[in-house]
Amino acid sequence: MSDDPTRVREFFGVRAADWDSRFPDDGPAYAAAVSEIGLRPGDAVLDAGCGTGRALPPLRAAVGPTGTVLGADLTPEMLTAAVRAGRGAPEQDAPGAGTLLLADVGRLPVRDGALDAVFGAGLISHLADPVSGLRELARVVRPGGRLALFHPIGRAALAARHGRQITPDDLRAEPRLRPVLAEAGWRLVSYVDEDARYLALAVREG
Ligand SMILES: C[S@@+](CC[C@H](N)C(=O)[O-])C[C@H]1O[C@@H](n2cnc3c(N)ncnc32)[C@H](O)[C@@H]1O
């Protein structure tokens, strides 16, 4: 589903309250994916489309207390659930793992090159204009910084969960994703699509 912001909000708004209880065992998969980004203490990282903030605690653990963790989502109910789960708050230095931004990842209130990395779980299929969204993520990451596109299950397993089959035009398929990333300023450096996870890692071109 790639969709406009209003439909994304409607879709996820009604799912926010029980989002975590639908996927209670995903925590270790998020932690494992975050460990592959190569974050260091003091780094600045954004969870793009953070939802209820499931990735925020491992991101905070990776960058430590001197690092910066931002979570951006355009569905207010998702951010409310993140606050309720104790994973973040809207103000800087607030309790929780990260600072939450009610924002479209296609238009972020973040300086050029301010971040070392972006993590995006379950995000890109929902972007109305993937090249433009990924270009905005490239804008806020320094040259050499990283992008991790993750899902706790692979494309085939996810399609089966929804009673569908994967199609060749799927944006997350490597042959489609690689040129889309390149157009947006990213170089795909590693790609895994297996039942137990989907993880595409890219580097911000200079
Ligand atoms: C499948 S959910 C994944 C949530 C979270 N990353 C996780 O792994 O649990 C996708 C999330 O992306 C958000 N989203 C979709 N398009 C967005 C956009 N353009 N800007 C910001 N957030 C967006 C939705 O509101 C939703 O919370």
Side-chain angles (χ1 to χ4, degrees):
M1 177 189 95
S2 70
D3 242 325
D4 66 71
T6 304
R7 289 199 45 180
V8 167
R9 265 191 215 109
E10 284 170 6
F11 183 84
F12 287 105
V14 294
R15 287 165 174 77
D18 68 345
W19 187 256
D20 288 5
S21 60
R22 291 172 64 199
F23 310 107
D25 303 321
D26 284 348
Y30 278 74
V34 166
S35 74
E36 294 196 34
I37 305 174
L39 289 166
R40 290 171 298 193
D43 276 356
V45 62
L46 166 72
D47 183 358
C50 65
T52 59
R54 296 193 291 168
L56 297 177
L59 290 171
R60 169 57 67 192
V63 303
T66 60
T68 300
V69 178
L70 304 176
D73 205 290
L74 55 70
T75 304
E77 293 89 342
M78 282 292 204
L79 297 181
T80 300
V83 173
R84 200 177 300 130
R87 297 183 183 128
E91 309 86 23
Q92 284 195 345
D93 303 323
T99 300
L100 303 177
L101 309 171
L102 180 60
D104 189 323
V105 302
R107 224 172 35 180
L108 288 164
V110 178
R111 279 188 294 112
D112 292 5
L115 305 177
D116 298 289
V118 172
F119 181 86
L123 173 72
I124 53 165
S125 320
H126 300 291
L127 296 179
D129 181 344
V131 172
S132 160
L134 289 166
R135 195 175 282 140
E136 174 67 352
L137 295 180
R139 181 188 70 76
V140 298
V141 170
R142 64 168 171 78
R146 291 272 173 141
L147 170 69
L149 299 174
F150 171 70
H151 200 284
I153 58 175
R155 292 190 308 125
L158 184 62
R161 181 189 279 175
H162 294 144
R164 296 196 295 261
Q165 290 192 327
I166 46 175
T167 56
D169 63 339
D170 181 353
L171 173 63
R172 293 162 307 149
E174 184 174 4
R176 268 215 71 199
L177 183 65
R178 186 180 291 278
V180 167
L181 284 170
E183 197 180 339
W186 297 99
R187 179 168 46 87
L188 185 66
V189 292
S190 122
Y191 181 91
V192 175
D193 179 16
E194 49 198 29
D195 276 358
R197 74 166 173 172
Y198 175 92
L199 182 63
L201 292 172
V203 172
R204 168 81 163 89
E205 296 283 25

